[in-house]
Amino acid sequence: MPVLTYRSPAVVALTAGALLLCPVQAFAGYGHGGSSNGNETVEGGQDGQNISATAGAVVYDRSKNGSGQSAGPVTASSNWTPPACWYAPTYSPEELQKVKEPVWEAESTGYEWDAEQRAKYLNKDDPSKDFNKDKTGKGYWWGSYVNKSYPPGWDSCTEDYFWVDTGDDPPANIPNTITPEILAGLAYNEIRVPSTKVTLAPAGETKVNLPTWAWLDAAQFKPVSVTASVPVLGMEATTVAEPVSLRIEPGTADAQVYPASGVCTFVNGRIGEPYAAGKAGQTPPCGVKYLRSSGDGSYPLRATITWKIHWTGTGVAQEQPLPDGEFGAEQAVVVQEIQAVNR
């Protein structure tokens, strides 16, 4: 199995808060026929005025995302997974030369493989064209990038570096070249939404057979979004998550939920209705009634919000759907028997 020495990550900060993903080639050796035990070291950071190993890296704008210690990622309601790997601009001619030549000089990848590589990247008749140097500033060598969460298929982008002139489309026969849709999926993976702890009344402790009102702070539950972009291509996509409903699970079968489905929908920007004096005899629009005491313990009430998710991006003005996402949390509810006093 190829061995790769990875001395420094191919990750640099283009802007504050930007996350850059490194090429999968930095993690995998390539061999055809000969041995593949060579080392390929990718240096991150700046090389003169050129960005090394990150020309087509994805930059995230999370300024409109959920924040705080209680915020968390949504879980897709289907078997959807984020993009695993993709191809995008990676190296200028000079940068790729700095990556490839040390590998050949090490003579550890096998003569046949080295010969194939030299034939691809060198021009014996005109060395000025080595690595497409005559096209410097007019395009990039494209390589594969890996989703930092390593979903299934993260290692499936195994195409060697290929050249694309500025303004041209990448080869149609290579799947997973970067698109706004791929960027939208990556932005989905970065979405963070606030905690789903609901406000209950009565607070602290409730009583058996007493309707407990539940509601959410309307100011906290607003749409959130993340924008993912590849600046060198002028390509971006914004993924938006909007809260649409709250599902209440009382934590015991000895309970009745309101409404009967246990799903409370957003109305006028909020879920549920705050309890107010004089509503004790009313049925809450969102809540729960426990039918049995929790004894010396408590019931784990779980509140889960469903977020409707969609995206727009470069060349895509109309909202495109993505799978709904869910995020929930548990909170302890103490239920006591109503004490009667006989005189």
Side-chain angles (χ1 to χ4, degrees), residues 235-291:
M235 181 188 297
E236 68 174 30
T238 298
T239 297
V240 179
E242 301 178 75
V244 292
S245 64
L246 166 70
R247 184 175 71 253
I248 292 179
E249 299 169 273
T252 174
D254 295 315
Q256 178 181 344
V257 292
Y258 306 102
S261 64
V263 177
C264 310
T265 57
F266 270 76
V267 178
N268 297 325
R270 73 180 185 187
I271 283 186
E273 182 181 330
Y275 176 79
K279 294 182 178 180
Q282 300 180 21
T283 299
C286 183
V288 59
K289 179 170 70 177
Y290 286 96
L291 309 178

Side-chain angles (χ1 to χ4, degrees), residues 24-182:
V24 69
Q25 282 96 334
F27 296 95
Y30 294 89
H32 298 279
S35 63
S36 302
N37 297 318
N39 299 326
E40 183 165 309
T41 302
V42 179
E43 300 291 336
Q46 300 290 334
D47 176 21
Q49 297 301 312
N50 297 319
I51 299 170
S52 180
T54 54
V58 176
V59 178
Y60 294 103
D61 178 356
R62 302 183 183 85
S63 61
K64 298 180 181 178
N65 203 13
S67 60
Q69 292 184 346
S70 62
V74 294
T75 300
S77 57
S78 66
N79 59 358
W80 179 89
T81 57
C85 65
W86 60 94
Y87 298 96
T90 306
Y91 293 120
S92 68
E94 292 79 5
E95 290 164 349
L96 185 59
Q97 182 179 17
K98 291 180 180 180
V99 170
K100 289 292 185 182
E101 286 188 339
V103 177
W104 303 338
E105 291 170 2
E107 298 182 348
S108 56
T109 52
Y111 172 80
E112 183 179 350
W113 172 241
D114 288 349
E116 289 179 3
Q117 290 281 287
R118 286 188 170 93
K120 175 177 179 178
Y121 296 109
L122 303 182
N123 188 312
K124 63 180 181 179
D125 298 321
D126 186 354
S128 68
K129 295 183 178 180
D130 290 352
F131 296 93
N132 283 1
K133 286 182 181 178
D134 57 327
K135 293 188 175 183
T136 297
K138 300 178 181 179
Y140 284 97
W141 288 102
W142 284 43
S144 53
Y145 290 73
V146 176
N147 188 321
K148 66 182 179 65
S149 61
Y150 300 103
W154 70 267
D155 56 349
S156 62
C157 294
T158 57
E159 289 284 342
D160 199 2
Y161 299 104
F162 54 91
W163 180 265
V164 179
D165 287 330
T166 299
D168 286 355
D169 292 331
N173 64 325
I174 298 180
N176 293 346
T177 55
I178 193 71
T179 63
E181 185 174 5
I182 288 177

Side-chain angles (χ1 to χ4, degrees), residues 201-252:
E205 299 176 352
T206 188
K207 306 296 182 182
V208 170
N209 292 321
L210 176 66
T212 299
W213 292 58
W215 67 93
L216 292 171
D217 181 359
Q220 186 180 11
F221 289 90
K222 295 181 178 180
V224 299
S225 67
V226 173
T227 297
S229 64
V230 178
V232 75
L233 294 177
M235 181 188 297
E236 68 174 30
T238 298
T239 297
V240 179
E242 301 178 75
V244 292
S245 64
L246 166 70
R247 184 175 71 253
I248 292 179
E249 299 169 273
T252 174

